[in-house]
Each structure stands twice: as structure tokens, then as C-alpha cells.
Amino acid sequence: MAVKYRTGPSKIVMAAYLLPSLILFLFVVIAPIFAAGYFSTFRWPGGKKMSPVGIQNYIDMLHDSIFWHSFGNNLYITVFCLIGQIGFAFLFACLLNTKGLKAKGFHRVVSYFPVTLSAVVVGFTWTMIYDYSYGILNFLLKLIHREDLVRGWLSETSTIMAVVSIPLIWQYIGLYLVIILAAMTSISSEVLEMAEIDGANGFQKAVHIILPLIRGTLIISVMLCISGNMRVFDHIYAMTRGGPGYASSVMAQYAYNVSFMQMNMGYGSTLSIGILVISTALVAASRALLTWLSRKGAVE
Amino acid sequence: MIAFSITCIYPVFWMFYSSLKTTRDFESNIIGLPKAIQFTNYTYILTSSKIGYYFLNTVRNTAIALIFIILFGFINGYFISRFRFRGRKLLYTLYMLGMLVPIHALLIPIYILFSKTGLTDSWYTVALPNIAFNLPTSIFLIESYIGTVPREIEEAATIDGASFSRTLFTIIFPLVTPILVTAGIIAFFSCWNEFSFSLVLLKNQNLFTLPLGLTMFKGIYQADYPRMMTTMVIAMVPALIIYFSCSRQIIRGMMSGAIKG
């Protein structure tokens, strides 16, 4: 009997169990990648007419300033979120770990709440907060008599990227807070008490003891943050659809515009491949860099 | 910290009580409490829009997806964890690849593939990507959990004469419910909030989901914030209830999912 279980049931039974999910997965996740590769070699305005153009689309993409501008916006959001999300999450986690703060459970539950909201809801909520006449932000500015700062927050090209990044940071601080908090609570209290006896203050404890001990978790958070921000779309679509102009466009939004607004499916496929390659490369590169850094840190 | 906690929930309260105001009341004082509580926004939205459809569509999409995510996740997790069959490594790598693929890179190719095969605009359309993209995480969670279940249980069941399928579903399935619940919760929020695939794969308004429906309302109620807020409250309520009634489990589940994913 034991032998039978190591090899498992007959091949046919096994296939019957595994194939349905495999077929679905191949069709929805793997096949589209190859399809995109194929369609990217055509000029194809959506209808029946498709003319093969070879690698012309790829050459166009390399010279497409809007695409690279959108990629730059992705990077901008990523850097902003790395600092904002992980930085704040670390700070709050330290605060939640101190003895003074009350109602810790409440803070944890409440700060995680935005994570479970739909990106569209978050986007619209902040659209309302930013609104020129009825938004909370301008209302508060008027309250403190800074009428000079009142503006239509979502229509100013120069500040738009910071403005659309804030809701993203806001929504996901809770996620990183919970992850970092879990790592912190696994640090034995003896270590921290020893540091206190040696006269370390809160800041020194955070930087010299907690930070190195949760390095592994921080690396995972950074990876999550990078890969998450490379695929930002829903928030941007809900708030600005990439506007004004292409000021707040991200890669996914631009590919969407090209494919469905300009009906250029061939070039849209090319952009999809571009996004795939860029994000995979970036995630792989940052992973390599961080592993290298942490190994170097461990040696020191 | 307290200030941050306030910013996390205040916008929701703001929308909630503003949805009980008249437009006039809202415009005269945007953050004040309603002068008189009135439900006309709710009756208006519920009777004059298709939000009921959107709501039911979202429930249906989420339910279909959840059933298959849990079933497929359980089957794949079990086989990958227990048996050393040919192609096991390949299968596992393939699913793990699914976690790395940035889903928005697939938005356009999936649209092309679905429209060529006539899969767009059906009741099951959005459930398909929902299942496929949530499968890797649940397989990953379930697979490592099944490793902790002792093999002797299956062997005993086989000796007692239970068939393979019977053992799988009546003995193992109940044993792993804790992790199935965790995987289910993670998948629930992702399916309930799914937006981009609904956006490109659905043209028929009767099939729209809540997030997609909201983008329609934005156009219609551009200047009418209380009504817009009413629709958002309606869209949020189920997730809100589920979150606050089992937040402990959700936070724990998301943590294991996030760290492994």
C-alpha cells in the first residue's frame, strides 16, 4: 500500500484531475504571451486587415517617447512607493511595537483595511478628496487660510505624478505594516532588553538591531513593491486615465490607449511584450542586487 | 499612528454619511454631518440604474472563481505535494511562473485571444482570468500545507477500501480546510475587486461588474457627489462586512500569501 501511494494513482486518473486546470491556465496565462509575440509582427487596426511588418513595431517602440515617458512614470511611482510604503510601514511597525501605544489591535485592523478595497474605489475616493470645489484637501487648505495652495490637483501636469502616487502609498502601507510587524514580533524580546540595558534609545534600537534582523522580510517587501508598481493600471485609469495629456500615463495605461482608443492591436501587442520584458528584467535585477547586498551585509 | 488610522477610515465614513445628504446639503458644507438623514440617493440609485445587475454579476463571478480556485488549488497542491510523477517539476514551475507574469502585460493579448475564440461577453468570461491568476498563490499555499498532513491517514483509508477519489474528497479535503479558507479569502478580495479584465472583456452593460459599473457612474454623476458616493458605498459594503467580521483571519491569511507570493 505504501508503495502505491508513492507513485500515485494511475496515469489516466491523474491526468483527469490535473488537466482541466492546466488547460485553463495555459490558455489564459501562457498562450497570450505567445499570441502577443505573434501579433506584434503585424500592423493591425483591429479589424480583418492585418499586414505583416516584421520587427518594425519593436523599432517604433524603442523610439516611442510616450512609452518611455510612461515607463519613467512607473519608475517614479515605484521609488515614491518604496520610500512611502516601506518607510512608513517600518516607522508604524516600530511604534506599534513600543509599550506606550494603546489599542494596537485596532490600529492594525484599521490600517490594513484600505488594502482590501478595490483600486477603482480608492481612485475615485481620492478623486473626490482632490476635487477643486468639493474636495476635502482644498477644504482643509481654506480652513488653514492657505488659499494660495488651492488648485485642481488632478489637472496640473507638474505635480500630477506625486498626486497620483499618494493614494497608492496610502492604500498599501497596511500590507507592508502587517508583514514587517510579523517579522518584528519574531525578534526575541531579550535582544531588545539587552540593548536597552546597554543604553540604546528607540532610534538606535530601530536602526542597529531591528533593521538588520528583519532584513529578509524587507527584501521581500521591496520585491513585492517593485513588481506591484510595474503593473499599476486600475488606480491611474480611475483617477486620470493617464492625463492630462500623457502626464500621468503608465506603461499599462499607454498599452490600453494604443489598443483600445487608437485601435492598434499590433502595436499594443508589441507594447505588451515590452512591458513583460521590462518588468521581468527589473524584478530579476533588483532581486539579484538585494541578495548581493544582504550577503555583503551578512559578511560585515 | 493615530492620525494615520484616522486617514484610513475617515474617507469611508465621509462617503457613508455624505451619501445620506442631499446634493444641496453637501455643497453647502462638504465635511459636515447631514442636516437631515434621507435615503433618496439610495432609492434613486437602486431603482434607476443597473447597479443590481452589477452587484449580482460580481457575486456570480466571484463565486464561480472561488469554487474553481479552491478545487483546482486543492487538486494541484495535493498531487504536487504527494506524488513524484513525471512532469511534476515542470507543472510546478509553470504555475509559479504565473505569479511572476505582470498581469497587465497580458491585458491586450488576452483580449485578442478571447475575442478570436468568442469568449468575450459571457457570464463566465471574467471568471476565467480570475481563476487562472489566483491559482498559483493558492496552489503554493495548499501545497506546503498538505506536506504537514501525515501520509498514514491516506494509507489507512486505502486499507479500509476507500477509492482514491473518495479518500481525496472525504478524508483529505476536510483536513485541509484551514488553508483552503485562507486561500479562499485571499482570492475573494482579488476577484471582488477585479477591474482591468472586466474593462476589456465586457461590452454588454448587463454583464458589468461593480468596479466597472462605478466607472460608468463617474461619467453620469460627475457633479453629483452624494449620488456617486452612494454607489461607492453600495459597492463597498460586502467587502467591508467580510473584512471587519473576520479581519484577524484575513490579516493572517494575507501575510502568509504575501510572504510566499
Side-chain angles (χ1 to χ4, degrees):
Chain A
M1 281 305 160
V3 175
K4 189 189 167 203
Y5 259 95
R6 207 158 299 140
T7 50
S10 74
K11 273 186 180 157
I12 295 168
V13 173
M14 216 148 181
Y17 272 111
L18 293 177
L19 275 181
S21 52
L22 185 63
I23 290 169
L24 175 74
F25 188 77
L26 287 176
F27 182 75
V28 178
V29 182
I30 308 297
I33 299 177
F34 291 99
Y38 173 70
F39 290 121
S40 68
T41 61
F42 291 93
R43 185 174 311 279
W44 179 24
K48 282 222 165 68
K49 224 180 84 193
M50 291 170 77
S51 39
V53 291
I55 60 162
Q56 188 55 45
N57 281 334
Y58 288 91
I59 297 169
D60 289 347
M61 181 171 72
L62 291 176
H63 294 105
D64 187 340
S65 59
I66 300 172
F67 178 69
W68 295 110
H69 172 74
S70 306
F71 172 60
N73 283 344
N74 275 102
L75 285 182
Y76 182 99
I77 293 177
T78 307
V79 172
F80 229 66
C81 286
L82 277 175
I83 300 166
Q85 288 170 343
I86 300 180
F88 274 116
F90 183 74
L91 192 73
F92 291 149
C94 286
L95 281 174
L96 281 178
N97 233 3
T98 56
K99 295 181 189 92
L101 197 76
K102 281 178 188 154
K104 288 176 185 171
F106 168 78
H107 285 301
R108 200 170 47 188
V109 167
V110 165
S111 55
Y112 192 80
F113 168 66
V115 181
T116 60
L117 288 178
S118 152
V120 174
V121 168
V122 170
F124 285 163
T125 307
W126 281 83
T127 312
M128 292 174 177
I129 292 173
Y130 287 138
D131 187 275
Y132 185 78
S133 7
Y134 305 121
I136 292 181
L137 185 58
N138 283 345
F139 179 85
L140 291 176
L141 286 173
K142 282 176 201 154
L143 213 62
I144 57 167
H145 298 293
R146 291 302 301 268
E147 276 87 355
D148 52 315
L149 291 176
V150 168
R151 65 194 72 207
W153 292 96
L154 287 170
S155 49
E156 300 235 340
T157 316
S158 55
T159 50
I160 188 72
M161 284 313 295
V163 169
V164 296
S165 298
I166 289 168
L168 277 160
I169 296 176
W170 174 79
Q171 183 174 16
Y172 291 112
I173 287 178
L175 175 69
Y176 298 102
L177 174 64
V178 164
I179 294 174
I180 292 173
L181 207 55
M184 276 189 189
T185 40
S186 67
I187 298 174
S188 86
S189 54
E190 284 167 30
V191 178
L192 293 175
E193 276 163 25
M194 292 252 282
E196 267 167 51
I197 292 167
D198 289 346
N201 61 30
F203 178 75
Q204 285 171 327
K205 262 196 310 191
V207 173
H208 295 296
I209 297 172
I210 299 176
L211 209 55
L213 281 174
I214 61 165
R215 195 168 45 215
T217 308
L218 286 179
I219 290 178
I220 292 170
S221 308
V222 170
M223 302 296 310
L224 269 178
C225 192
I226 294 174
S227 65
N229 284 313
M230 278 298 121
R231 57 184 184 218
V232 176
F233 173 74
D234 304 8
H235 296 83
I236 301 290
Y237 184 90
M239 282 188 283
T240 63
R241 304 207 177 175
Y246 280 103
S248 66
S249 172
V250 287
M251 292 189 291
Q253 175 75 50
Y254 182 53
Y256 175 85
N257 281 3
V258 166
S259 309
F260 297 101
M261 301 295 126
Q262 304 164 15
M263 290 312 283
N264 195 345
M265 290 289 165
Y267 192 45
S269 301
T270 313
L271 293 175
S272 302
I273 298 276
I275 297 172
L276 195 70
V277 171
I278 289 175
S279 357
T280 316
L282 210 65
V283 171
S286 57
R287 173 171 288 181
L289 182 71
L290 286 168
T291 334
W292 180 72
L293 276 179
S294 70
R295 221 177 265 142
K296 207 175 133 218
V299 172
E300 282 166 6
Chain B
M1 189 69 223
I2 292 167
F4 178 68
S5 291
I6 291 171
T7 69
C8 284
I9 40 173
Y10 179 70
V12 178
F13 279 121
W14 181 51
M15 281 191 280
F16 184 72
Y17 68 67
S18 299
S19 71
L20 301 170
K21 288 172 160 182
T22 61
T23 311
R24 249 251 203 70
D25 190 4
F26 177 80
E27 281 168 5
S28 64
N29 184 358
I30 57 167
I31 71 163
L33 291 168
K35 283 197 194 101
I37 291 173
Q38 47 92 30
F39 292 94
T40 46
N41 290 327
Y42 284 91
T43 45
Y44 179 82
I45 297 288
L46 289 172
T47 51
S48 73
S49 77
K50 289 190 168 167
I51 198 160
Y53 280 99
Y54 305 161
F55 198 93
L56 291 177
N57 291 333
T58 312
V59 171
R60 188 196 53 225
N61 287 342
T62 309
I64 299 173
L66 276 185
I67 291 169
F68 282 100
I69 291 165
I70 289 172
L71 184 69
F72 287 163
F74 171 64
I75 291 171
N76 281 288
Y78 181 77
F79 277 82
I80 291 172
S81 159
R82 274 290 194 264
F83 307 126
R84 302 277 166 269
F85 55 91
R86 248 166 101 204
R88 172 181 167 277
K89 263 235 166 80
L90 182 72
L91 193 70
Y92 191 65
T93 319
L94 200 65
Y95 282 124
M96 291 312 110
L97 208 69
M99 276 204 255
L100 294 176
V101 173
I103 59 168
H104 290 118
L106 300 182
L107 213 53
I108 290 123
I110 285 181
Y111 167 77
I112 297 173
L113 219 58
F114 272 47
S115 60
K116 289 233 161 190
T117 44
L119 290 172
T120 53
D121 265 337
S122 293
W123 56 271
Y124 52 78
T125 300
V126 178
L128 297 177
N130 272 349
I131 298 168
F133 287 110
N134 285 296
L135 203 51
T137 320
S138 34
I139 291 179
F140 201 66
L141 287 172
I142 296 167
E143 190 259 345
S144 52
Y145 189 86
I146 286 180
T148 67
V149 177
R151 275 163 197 273
E152 284 75 22
I153 294 171
E154 287 123 283
E155 284 164 17
T158 320
I159 291 164
D160 288 347
S163 71
F164 174 74
S165 300
R166 206 187 142 93
T167 315
L168 187 61
F169 287 107
T170 60
I171 315 270
I172 309 296
F173 195 81
L175 276 176
V176 297
T177 34
I179 199 69
L180 298 183
V181 171
T182 303
I185 289 172
I186 294 174
F188 168 82
F189 284 104
S190 127
C191 296
W192 185 266
N193 295 331
E194 201 286 318
F195 170 68
S196 34
F197 287 106
S198 324
L199 174 70
V200 301
L201 296 177
L202 299 176
K203 292 278 169 294
N204 180 352
Q205 278 211 27
N206 290 333
L207 292 166
F208 278 13
T209 57
L210 281 170
L212 189 54
L214 277 177
T215 61
M216 302 283 301
F217 284 116
K218 195 196 178 192
I220 303 170
Y221 303 131
Q222 194 79 57
D224 197 338
Y225 273 23
R227 275 188 186 154
M228 186 66 204
M229 286 167 168
T230 309
T231 59
M232 283 168 68
V233 169
I234 296 172
M236 265 192 304
V237 159
L240 212 75
I241 292 171
I242 290 187
Y243 179 68
F244 281 106
S245 57
C246 40
S247 58
R248 282 181 72 106
Q249 176 123 26
I250 290 167
I251 289 178
R252 210 168 344 119
M254 293 285 188
M255 250 164 59
S256 49
I259 289 174
K260 286 171 177 167

